[in-house]
Amino acid sequence: MRRIPWMRATAVALCALLAATAPAAALSHAGPSSPRPVPAIASPVTVQSGKGRDHVHGMSQEQAEKAREAQRYWTPERIRAAVPVDASREKADTPSPAGPGPRQKRSLANEPSRQVPEGIATVGVFLIRATDGSATADQFCTASAVASPTESLVITAAHCLKGDRRHHDFAFVPGYRTGASTSGQAGEAPYGIFPVQEDKIWVDSRYRASTPDDDLDFAFLNVGPNTRGQLLEDAVGRGNELTSVPTAKLARKAVTLVGYPGGQKTPLQCTNDTTAFQGRFMEIKCDGFRTGVSGGPFLENFDGRRGDLVGVIGGYKTGGLFDHTSYTSQFDEDVFRLYRQAAAGKPSDPDPGTGTSMGTAGTWTHARVMTTGRFHTSSVRNNVSDLIVRWSDGELSLYPGDGAYGFGKDIQLVKDKAWQQAAVITAGDFTGDASDDLLVRWTDGRLTLFKDVNETNKLTDKVELKAPNDTWTHASTMAAGRFGGGNTRSDDLMVTWTDGEVTLYTNVDAKGLHAERQLVKPPDSTWPHARDVSAADFRPGTGDQDLFVRWSDGEVTAYENIAAEVFGREHRLMPAKSPWRDALLATAGSFGGPTRQNDLVALWPGGKLTLHPDTTSNSLAAEHVLVSP
């Protein structure tokens, strides 16, 4: 009985929030590891009440009935007989790496696996009751309580939430221990049974895609009170603290793994050091963690009841092929974004391809030009970047940034075949009124400034800066930013030309281009290979911006102070022949966290769209998939 690689699933729902601050965002290969606080929400989300109150428990009648129904159905006998979710789809045992025959016991660095017959307060069984006629109606995974103002938050693996959730009832039994219902003991469910509230499950929409993203194998669930009227954390005490894991710190000391293996339903505990796996998963060696443990917590600073939650069993091969090695998806900004979504009471992301704000991969194969800027009214107010895309059919779309590394539903700015001739687009504050303007170079050499673009004005106010001409047909790329023009506006324009020349125009405005300065003389053999350029803020502090460049050979470079030192301070984020040579488009913006323009968006073959948050001049951050191929 092993966890199996092809066990995937779906669902939607929950809520909660960090009481003060919590670290976030993934940093990639070698970036700084200091955590960034997650903003607190002023008032916690409360458990919704139904019509009338239950006089015994002080909770809504609907909640009281749900609690009683869960208690009636999940008898000790049914809980003991429930089978692991993974086992219900297992076709054959998976051999250990050593080949057929008995697996040899491994020597673990710290504490070997041991049973905890008394149970662990914040860890329990996540029960699944299938109502669709399944041969094995009663199934389970492992789950744990997460500290939150709602006092009702549970986390498990996303792959445990299989099938159509309309045909499943879920419940959580914290501190469960088999066979403890004897005289003088608290029973098998010492804290009671907590039904999962309908439509209170949150799974990242990218995990629900046809090819699930195994970086996102986690789910939050909000549970109702037990039959005593207690919220989860009233019963078990404070939950485990959700904790950030930067890419550079996937290898950690003394992490405790807890899970309920099938066949025994007594929690198994093991403490060992973790290692990084593929740069995006945490791996731990702990014997005996067979099917049933999926969703079990990785805990630091564990005191026997709770600890700091740094992962859940899942991710790579849905948690691992063998019962001596387990994995977790990295707890980076994605897990906190999902947590904040639930805490704010936002609905779960829609299913990919059925109204998701970023559309489908098929749509994104038609993207031809991308740029970023602050256009939408809310984005200007919150200092968040938006994404503008020009499509192959001449449509121009605005995707408002949500400030949490995501985007709202697209807004059509124009749909006109004439826009198929918009060859190069950049955004800057050329008119000096805080909102950004679009600068477009057309295939005939025209240069047009669209002032104060937003969801209302769209492209109604335009100024022709250059009439059709032969010179500007040779402008390969443009990037607007703060490059040394002597003010704090992003109104300086850097242009690369087909012959390798690079020029800088400072303080561009509605009256035209001014103060041209040649940074690289033609002919030059290097700069014709610049595929994407964009202003960026890869270093802390304010002042002039950096220049992000993606080269045709896959190298990715950041330059400091291009006006002052003429590309003197160069930082190589990715080497030549890196996977970035396959990228089709790339740009930089401020989509979450601090208001620095240091989040990269890239489009790849097959319509895959990725975001690389909090990139620094030393490190290009690991990708978050916005649109799966």
Side-chain angles (χ1 to χ4, degrees), residues 541-552:
T542 58
D544 291 347
Q545 292 184 291
D546 308 312
L547 186 73
F548 162 79
V549 183
R550 182 185 70 86
W551 303 92
S552 60

Side-chain angles (χ1 to χ4, degrees), residues 90 118 147 175 194 234 334 371 406 450 457 478 556 565 590 597 606:
E90 189 169 30
E118 66 277 15
F194 296 81
D234 288 336
D334 282 325
T371 193
F450 293 89
N457 298 337
M478 301 189 304
V556 178
E565 302 190 26
S590 176
Q597 198 164 315

Side-chain angles (χ1 to χ4, degrees), residues 570-587:
E570 176 181 341
H571 302 273
R572 183 175 296 175
L573 304 182
M574 293 295 286
K577 299 182 180 180
S578 80
W580 279 73
R581 63 183 170 182
D582 297 324
L584 302 176
L585 301 170
T587 188

Side-chain angles (χ1 to χ4, degrees), residues 129-261:
R129 175 191 177 189
T131 58
D132 57 357
S134 300
T136 52
D138 298 336
Q139 301 166 14
F140 79 96
C141 273
T142 303
S144 56
V146 181
S148 71
T150 66
E151 302 182 36
S152 302
L153 186 61
V154 173
I155 190 170
T156 189
H159 74 259
C160 292
L161 294 155
K162 66 187 189 73
D164 186 343
R165 76 182 189 281
R166 293 174 301 177
H167 301 297
H168 293 81
D169 291 330
F170 306 111
F172 177 57
V173 186
Y176 179 80
R177 62 271 185 96
T178 303
S181 301
T182 57
S183 177
Q185 294 183 322
E188 297 185 29
Y191 306 102
I193 297 174
F194 296 81
V196 174
Q197 297 194 87
E198 188 176 353
D199 294 329
K200 296 287 185 178
I201 305 167
W202 263 254
V203 178
D204 195 294
S205 62
R206 292 166 288 174
Y207 192 84
R208 300 196 306 273
S210 56
T211 303
D213 186 343
D214 56 8
D215 286 329
L216 304 163
D217 194 0
F218 40 73
F220 291 104
L221 309 99
N222 197 41
V223 296
N226 60 16
T227 55
R228 304 168 205 160
Q230 293 175 304
L231 298 179
L232 177 61
E233 290 186 65
D234 288 336
V236 304
R238 187 158 180 79
N240 301 299
E241 295 286 345
L242 191 64
T243 303
S244 176
V245 180
T247 302
K249 293 194 173 182
L250 287 165
R252 306 173 83 86
K253 297 291 186 182
V255 173
T256 296
L257 191 68
V258 181
Y260 283 83

Side-chain angles (χ1 to χ4, degrees), residues 371-372 426 477-481 483 494 532-538 545-550 557 586-589 597 600:
T371 193
T372 61
T426 190
T477 69
M478 301 189 304
F483 296 132
M494 200 206 80
D532 298 295
V533 298
S534 180
D537 299 298
F538 295 135
Q545 292 184 291
D546 308 312
L547 186 73
F548 162 79
V549 183
R550 182 185 70 86
T557 308
T587 188
Q597 198 164 315
L600 303 181

Side-chain angles (χ1 to χ4, degrees), residues 87 186 220 253 256 279 288 297 332 356 366 394 498 523 572 626:
F220 291 104
K253 297 291 186 182
T256 296
D332 54 16
T356 178
H366 297 284
T498 54
R572 183 175 296 175
L626 298 173

Side-chain angles (χ1 to χ4, degrees), residues 57-77:
H57 302 294
M59 54 182 167
S60 75
Q61 293 176 357
E62 182 182 355
Q63 289 173 333
E65 180 52 37
K66 281 283 186 184
R68 288 191 289 262
E69 180 184 334
Q71 184 100 356
R72 283 193 300 267
Y73 183 80
W74 289 109
T75 62
E77 294 74 24

